[in-house]
């Protein structure tokens, strides 16, 4: 496995139908050309991903989207103009130029225009869009730095990791669909529901029952290996398990521990949830390398990015 910033080298592997890890503003992805069935199958095999879970297609510009979708609802156009390039994925009826193996046989495609200069330059140099899921084994915490990808796939057949530094958002894109005239949020993400509603009015959140095929919604996801516990009452937990070595993730004024068994990890001194989003996965992955018995965190207020953070934490704490 090679790691570097060489776009030509990445493009060569992709043009050969192979898989390359790429940086985005949200999380790293494992990319292959939508025209390479071999490359797409390799993505599923590298991740251990069930093949009924469709991939997001990444294009270099909003204009490019029109080539790959059949219909552009008015509200989708409004959201594209408002948020692209950026961390939003639109689910639209796909054109038949997108092979069925990219969308797991579905008639829709999740499509997005990323906002990462290195990745956009790579896309512009290629003859076709790139399909890419997050660059982690299925259900594990997403990678937000090249070194996370390396540690996940170092013993696997992944030839190149394009290193674009640490992801600036650090949380996956918001996935939005259009059903009749309604805007439906399939996955909350880096763009908040409030931001979207400012442009298109009230939206609906998809329920798990109806949308079982959107596996961002499978219950357990984004999980570190160390047990992660989300609770409003941290004291109750540390009192119940006085022998446990725990790390407590928090925001706000710096805390110092007077108990050798408790380590405090600050995610943002200014309570800035964007900063928390940027750091969350990297912090979980770093703590996973140490031998804590548990990681503890309080839920965030349920508005704006707090909704996304709570969603990821809820899934990461869910039982298998
Ligand atoms: O920020 C992101 O979206 C990152 C970066 C790499 O672009 N990608 C990402 O991909 O998070 P992945 O595969 O880990 O999650 C994509 C989610 C999956 O839950 C998948 O089921 C859903 O998007 N999805 C993809 N295509 C869809 C479609 N046509 N209809 C409904 N859901 C779809
Ligand atoms: Mg993922």
């Amino acid at each position: 496995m090679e790691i570097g910033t060489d776009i030509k080298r990445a493009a060569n592997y992709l043009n050969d139908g192979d898989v390359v890890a790429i940086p985005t503003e949200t999380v790293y992805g494992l990319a292959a050309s939508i025209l390479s069935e071999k490359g797409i199958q390799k993505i599923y095999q590298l991740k251990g991903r069930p093949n009924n879970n469709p991939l997001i297609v990444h294009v270099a510009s909003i204009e490019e989207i029109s080539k790959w979708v059949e219909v552009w609802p008015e509200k989708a156009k409004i959201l594209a103009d408002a948020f692209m390039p950026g961390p939003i994925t639109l689910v639209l009826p796909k054109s038949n130029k997108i092979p069925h193996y990219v969308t797991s046989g579905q008639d829709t495609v999740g499509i997005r225009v990323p906002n990462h200069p290195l990745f956009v330059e790579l896309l512009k140099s290629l003859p076709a869009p790139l399909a890419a899921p997050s660059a982690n084994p299925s259900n594990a915490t997403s990678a937000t730095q090249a070194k996370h990808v390396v540690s996940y796939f170092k013993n696997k057949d992944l030839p190149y990791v394009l290193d674009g530094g640490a992801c600036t958002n650090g949380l996956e894109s918001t996935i939005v669909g259009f059903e009749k005239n309604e805007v439906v949020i399939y996955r909350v993400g880096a763009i908040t529901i409030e931001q979207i509603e400012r442009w298109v009015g009230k939206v609906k959140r998809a329920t798990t029952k109806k949308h079982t095929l959107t596996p961002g919604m499978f219950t357990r996801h984004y999980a570190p290996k160390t047990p992660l516990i989300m609770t409003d009452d941290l004291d109750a937990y540390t009192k119940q398990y006085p022998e446990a070595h725990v790390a407590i993730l928090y925001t706000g004024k710096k805390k110092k521990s007077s108990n050798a068994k408790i380590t405090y990890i600050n995610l943002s001194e200014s309570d800035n949830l964007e900063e928390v989003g940027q750091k969350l996965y990297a912090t979980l992955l770093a703590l996973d390398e140490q031998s804590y018995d548990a990681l503890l965190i309080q839920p965030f207020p349920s508005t704006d990015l707090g909704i996304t953070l709570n969603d990821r934490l809820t899934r990461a704490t869910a039982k298998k």
Side-chain angles (χ1 to χ4, degrees):
M1 181 192 286
E2 267 182 88
I3 303 125
T5 55
D6 187 344
I7 289 179
K8 283 211 186 99
R9 203 150 170 75
N12 284 341
Y13 282 114
L14 292 163
N15 286 330
D16 274 351
D18 211 332
V19 177
V20 165
I22 48 87
T24 85
E25 76 280 28
T26 60
V27 298
Y28 274 74
L30 283 185
S33 166
I34 63 162
L35 304 181
S36 169
E37 185 164 10
K38 182 186 87 178
I40 301 293
Q41 278 168 356
K42 189 170 169 185
I43 290 176
Y44 281 88
Q45 176 232 321
L46 283 167
K47 277 183 68 90
R49 180 178 177 108
N51 58 14
N52 64 354
N53 188 351
L55 304 182
I56 293 175
V57 169
H58 299 73
V59 295
S61 66
I62 301 183
E63 296 70 53
E64 271 268 308
I65 294 182
S66 321
K67 291 195 208 159
W68 305 100
V69 305
E70 206 51 48
V71 194
W72 253 117
E74 191 52 37
K75 286 183 177 170
K77 280 217 174 93
I78 293 173
L79 292 178
D81 288 336
F83 299 111
M84 288 179 166
I88 190 166
T89 297
L90 303 178
V91 174
L92 298 171
K94 78 173 193 68
S95 115
N96 57 18
K97 285 188 289 184
I98 295 194
H100 56 86
Y101 53 74
V102 172
T103 62
S104 305
Q106 296 199 45
D107 303 333
T108 56
V109 60
I111 195 157
R112 89 175 191 92
V113 183
N115 189 16
H116 188 294
L118 207 57
F119 185 26
V120 173
E121 206 184 318
L122 173 66
L123 285 169
K124 282 189 179 148
S125 77
L126 296 170
L130 294 176
S134 54
N136 51 274
S138 220
N139 297 346
T141 309
S142 303
T144 57
Q145 296 172 26
K147 70 172 187 195
H148 302 149
V149 182
V150 173
S151 111
Y152 275 142
F153 297 103
K154 56 180 178 279
N155 300 322
K156 299 265 165 74
D157 179 22
L158 176 63
Y160 198 71
V161 178
L162 187 63
D163 186 349
C167 302
T168 49
N169 285 98
L171 294 168
E172 297 80 357
S173 64
T174 303
I175 304 183
V176 185
F178 306 86
E179 297 180 5
K180 302 194 182 107
N181 204 27
E182 271 191 313
V183 178
V184 185
I185 308 289
Y186 295 129
R187 178 177 72 183
V188 292
I191 304 263
T192 67
I193 293 178
E194 289 88 339
Q195 282 176 294
I196 289 173
E197 289 188 332
R198 247 170 259 150
W199 291 89
V200 293
K202 265 284 170 250
V203 300
K204 215 166 74 177
R205 266 186 83 173
T207 56
T208 329
K209 267 190 208 123
K210 195 168 153 224
H211 298 275
T212 44
L213 266 183
T214 303
M217 304 186 60
F218 285 170
T219 326
R220 187 176 165 87
H221 217 107
Y222 314 108
K225 286 171 279 171
T226 315
L228 174 66
I229 292 150
M230 185 161 60
T231 171
D232 264 316
D233 196 347
L234 299 173
D235 286 346
Y237 183 90
T238 49
K239 278 190 190 124
Q240 190 183 353
Y241 302 101
E243 291 308 309
H245 277 104
V246 299
I248 297 180
L249 287 73
Y250 72 104
T251 63
K253 237 178 91 203
K254 273 225 151 102
K255 291 183 191 174
K256 246 207 170 133
S257 178
S258 50
N259 177 338
K261 300 219 186 288
I262 301 176
T263 308
Y264 283 104
I265 311 282
N266 193 293
L267 290 172
S268 168
E269 281 187 57
S270 57
D271 283 314
N272 177 339
L273 296 193
E274 269 151 35
E275 186 184 353
V276 176
Q278 201 176 66
K279 288 184 184 165
L280 182 68
Y281 293 155
T283 305
L284 293 176
L285 288 166
L287 291 171
D288 238 2
E289 299 297 305
Q290 301 164 39
S291 37
Y292 287 104
D293 297 311
L295 313 176
L296 305 185
I297 189 163
Q298 286 184 317
F300 292 91
S302 229
T303 58
D304 299 293
L305 218 46
I307 296 177
T308 305
L309 291 166
N310 290 342
D311 171 83
R312 300 302 190 268
L313 290 166
T314 306
R315 293 176 202 290
T317 54
K319 297 248 167 1
K320 271 185 208 173

